[in-house]
Amino acid sequence: AQSVAQPEDQVNVAEGNPLTVKCTYSVSGNPYLFWYVQYPNRGLQFLLKYITGDNLVKGSYGFEAEFNKSQTSFHLKKPSALVSDSALYFCAVRDLNTGGFKTIFGAGTRLFVKA
Amino acid sequence: DGGITQSPKYLFRKEGQNVTLSCEQNLNHDAMYWYRQDPGQGLRLIYYSQIVNDFQKGDIAEGYSVSREKKESFPLTVTSAQKNPTAFYLCASSGTTGPNQPQHFGDGTRLSIL
């Protein structure tokens, strides 16, 4: 079965420090991986995706993610955190067993950036 | 600007009542989805539709119903059979050109029991 795991419920980081939000996946075949962000009482916003090619993917708001096939990971990173980055982050993978229409989401990681 | 509009933002349901949540998109997307979000549980798929007049059950369809009569609209009805309806409901859409398409989300409807 295809799945995605976010091992940390919460990540705390000081403003200006680098941040990492972890994600591991389990899929059969090539993975289609995504990161989304959710602010309070809002829907999810797409940040970035990995389909193929470079293992380092750049996305919105200065975020990037590193795809590691051997470790089946897709960690979200940012070199310098901002207080405004505080939000709920979701890793997701397309379920290719359903023709790619379904998306499997992780449980989410809450990021707190302290000033 | 293109996007997804969900209404109402807040909804209250009485015992034994059916309520309908609206979702409209002007992105010209074929695929639409309904998710339920509970604290600490991420998103769970209720129903999805790949094309007009067709839809499939997701992981937690019991107590819910949908229709897809127009490409732009995918309303969700929470029936009285859904015994624990209190949650944040999110509608999404995506293009069907392949699994590399991200989903676009509305800003949700928060449903509570009176």
Side-chain angles (χ1 to χ4, degrees):
Chain A
Q2 310 209 65
S3 64
V4 61
Q6 295 180 241
E8 302 156 316
D9 291 335
Q10 184 172 311
V11 170
N12 298 310
V13 65
E15 188 174 34
N17 283 1
L19 70 87
T20 298
V21 182
K22 295 180 180 177
C23 173
T24 59
Y25 66 89
S26 174
V27 300
S28 52
N30 294 325
Y32 292 80
L33 296 160
F34 301 81
W35 274 103
Y36 293 85
V37 60
Q38 185 181 32
Y39 297 99
N41 295 313
R42 300 294 301 275
L44 278 66
Q45 296 176 35
F46 167 70
L47 280 178
L48 50 80
K49 65 182 179 183
Y50 173 82
I51 306 303
T52 187
D54 288 341
N55 289 341
L56 187 64
V57 179
K58 294 191 181 297
S60 306
Y61 312 121
F63 284 94
E64 57 191 27
E66 186 172 11
F67 173 71
N68 187 317
K69 187 172 183 177
S70 63
Q71 297 185 7
T72 62
S73 66
F74 188 54
H75 300 334
L76 182 70
K77 299 174 185 284
K78 188 173 183 182
S80 179
L82 300 172
V83 171
S84 57
D85 292 330
S86 298
L88 187 58
Y89 291 81
F90 290 97
C91 182
V93 64
R94 284 289 197 174
D95 183 357
L96 298 181
N97 291 330
T98 60
F101 287 104
K102 290 177 67 175
T103 298
I104 300 169
F105 288 88
T109 297
R110 192 165 296 279
L111 174 67
F112 287 100
V113 182
K114 185 176 180 181
Chain B
D1 286 340
I4 297 181
T5 301
Q6 290 188 242
S7 62
K9 195 167 181 63
Y10 299 96
L11 188 58
F12 298 91
R13 195 192 86 171
K14 295 180 181 178
E15 190 86 24
Q17 185 182 41
N18 293 351
V19 292
T20 297
L21 284 61
S22 171
C23 177
E24 302 279 331
Q25 55 102 355
N26 60 3
L27 298 166
N28 200 32
H29 285 166
D30 286 313
M32 297 188 74
Y33 311 80
W34 273 105
Y35 293 94
R36 171 178 171 141
Q37 185 176 21
D38 295 282
Q41 293 196 39
L43 275 67
R44 292 185 288 170
L45 183 64
I46 305 172
Y47 270 96
Y48 66 103
S49 169
Q50 299 173 17
I51 199 167
V52 174
N53 293 323
D54 185 53
F55 48 83
Q56 286 79 40
K57 293 181 178 180
D59 302 315
I60 56 164
E62 186 175 351
Y64 300 96
S65 66
V66 294
S67 62
R68 187 83 189 276
E69 297 176 1
K70 298 187 302 182
K71 186 175 185 177
E72 303 80 15
S73 179
F74 191 41
L76 173 74
T77 296
V78 183
T79 74
S80 57
Q82 172 51 245
K83 297 306 179 188
N84 183 24
T86 298
F88 191 49
Y89 291 86
L90 288 164
C91 179
S93 71
S94 69
T96 51
T97 53
N100 60 340
Q101 297 299 312
Q103 293 186 321
H104 297 253
F105 285 81
D107 278 337
T109 293
R110 192 167 297 280
L111 177 61
S112 303
I113 297 180
L114 278 179

